[in-house]
């Protein structure tokens, strides 16, 4: 079985969300895709890393610290950001879509720490700056309104649940590409990656059969792949 580093490298170089999702379905892991609104900032962006889950909550206009700079207007956000480790993904949910959960300076800090990317169940901002950095960010889209006085991080490195029922625990493998974002439970990661590699090889063989003119119904009957 591949180790953690090998798993992430294999995903980055040889796999994609569709084939991983198909394999997880066969193993009964059928609720692993995050909501479809969460998309790559740029279509060519790809993420493969270990989850560092972050829980956000609205603060409904609470202005504590907003003008004076005192207290913690972002809650635990800065601490969570500073504790990102190499190959981890900052993955956040919990707030309402009234403000941005990620921006350029956060991307700069995360990239400096060697993080793999950010996935937020809401908006990002500073799009031009993030594009210039080339840091992988997945979100609902761009919206400049700040989370200060509107939302705060209330916990991190905890299990989180998205609105569609997908759960993410610390250390789960997060994979994102042009077709969406999914979570591979940590305990299943090595098996799922190995099976996904087998499926990729099988799909290549099926492509050859299609190109030579074989009937797709016959191909599926022989291979179970389509």
């Amino acid at each position: 079985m591949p180790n953690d580093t090998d798993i992430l490298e294999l995903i980055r170089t040889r796999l994609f969300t569709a084939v991983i999702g198909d394999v997880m379905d066969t193993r009964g892991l059928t609720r692993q895709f995050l909501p479809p609104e969460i998309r790559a900032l740029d279509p060519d962006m790809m993420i493969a890393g270990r989850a560092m889950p972050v829980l956000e909550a609205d603060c409904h206009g609470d202005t504590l610290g907003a003008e004076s700079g005192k207290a913690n207007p972002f809650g635990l956000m800065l601490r969570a950001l500073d504790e990102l480790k190499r190959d981890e993904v900052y993955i956040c949910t919990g707030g309402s879509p009234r403000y941005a959960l990620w921006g350029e300076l956060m991307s700069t800090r995360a990239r400096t720490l060697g993080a793999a990317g950010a996935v937020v169940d809401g908006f990002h901002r500073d799009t031009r700056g993030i594009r210039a950095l080339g840091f992988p960010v997945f979100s609902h889209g761009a919206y400049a309104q700040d989370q200060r006085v509107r939302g705060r991080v209330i916990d991190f490195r905890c299990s989180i649940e998205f609105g569609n029922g997908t759960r993410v625990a610390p250390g789960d493998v997060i994979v994102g590409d042009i077709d969406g974002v999914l979570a591979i439970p940590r305990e299943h990661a090595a098996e799922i990656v190995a099976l996904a590699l087998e499926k990729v090889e099988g799909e290549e063989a099926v492509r050859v059969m299609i190109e030579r003119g074989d009937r797709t119904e016959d191909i599926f009957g022989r291979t179970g792949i389509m």
Side-chain angles (χ1 to χ4, degrees), residues 3-15:
N3 60 34
D4 276 9
T5 302
D6 291 340
I7 285 172
L8 297 180
E9 185 61 21
L10 286 168
I11 293 170
R12 290 168 184 152
T13 57
R14 299 187 58 190
L15 298 179

Side-chain angles (χ1 to χ4, degrees), residues 208-225:
V208 171
M209 296 177 196
I210 293 173
E211 289 173 347
R212 75 186 182 198
D214 292 9
R215 287 168 48 85
T216 52
E217 188 173 11
D218 294 338
I219 294 171
F220 185 75
R222 295 198 303 271
T223 67
I225 296 174

Side-chain angles (χ1 to χ4, degrees), residues 10-27:
L10 286 168
I11 293 170
R12 290 168 184 152
T13 57
R14 299 187 58 190
L15 298 179
F16 45 95
T17 54
V19 71
I20 295 171
D22 289 353
V23 166
M24 286 199 289
D25 280 349
T26 68
R27 290 296 182 268

Side-chain angles (χ1 to χ4, degrees), residues 10-213:
L10 286 168
I11 293 170
R12 290 168 184 152
T13 57
R14 299 187 58 190
L15 298 179
F16 45 95
T17 54
V19 71
I20 295 171
D22 289 353
V23 166
M24 286 199 289
D25 280 349
T26 68
R27 290 296 182 268
L29 301 169
T30 58
R31 301 182 72 177
Q32 303 307 127
F33 271 93
L34 273 57
E37 295 82 10
I38 301 176
R39 313 296 297 180
L41 186 153
D42 282 327
D44 291 337
M45 286 181 170
M46 194 267 182
I47 280 183
R50 294 286 181 180
M52 198 276 271
V54 176
L55 184 61
E56 181 90 12
D58 293 349
C59 59
H60 301 292
D62 183 352
T63 60
L64 178 62
E67 296 178 359
S68 66
K70 297 179 181 179
N72 296 303
F74 300 108
L76 300 175
M77 185 190 79
L78 301 180
R79 186 184 303 175
L81 183 62
D82 284 340
E83 292 196 15
L84 272 171
K85 295 180 173 57
R86 178 165 296 278
D87 287 329
E88 285 192 328
V89 175
Y90 183 106
I91 180 167
C92 177
T93 192
S96 63
R98 298 189 297 121
Y99 46 86
L101 298 171
W102 191 263
E104 179 186 1
L105 295 180
M106 296 178 74
S107 296
T108 302
R109 177 58 171 158
R111 189 180 71 163
T112 300
L113 294 171
V119 176
V120 296
D121 192 12
F123 295 103
H124 74 271
R125 66 182 198 165
D126 308 320
T127 303
R128 290 189 181 92
I130 296 173
R131 280 178 170 160
L133 288 169
F135 187 75
V137 173
F138 287 66
S139 75
H140 289 203
Y143 183 47
Q145 184 153 262
D146 194 9
Q147 70 175 303
R148 183 194 297 255
V149 314
R150 298 178 181 89
R152 294 189 185 158
V153 170
I154 59 173
D155 202 358
F156 63 96
R157 294 200 186 282
C158 58
S159 294
I160 57 177
E161 183 172 335
F162 289 78
N164 66 346
T166 301
R167 296 180 179 180
V168 176
D172 287 352
V173 175
I174 305 302
V175 184
D177 59 24
I178 192 171
D179 290 325
V181 183
L182 56 76
I184 311 173
R186 183 182 188 117
E187 63 272 20
H188 296 288
E191 176 196 14
I192 295 302
V193 167
L195 292 172
L197 289 169
E198 291 179 9
K199 191 172 192 296
V200 166
E201 293 174 358
E203 288 183 349
E204 287 299 324
V206 166
R207 184 175 293 106
V208 171
M209 296 177 196
I210 293 173
E211 289 173 347
R212 75 186 182 198

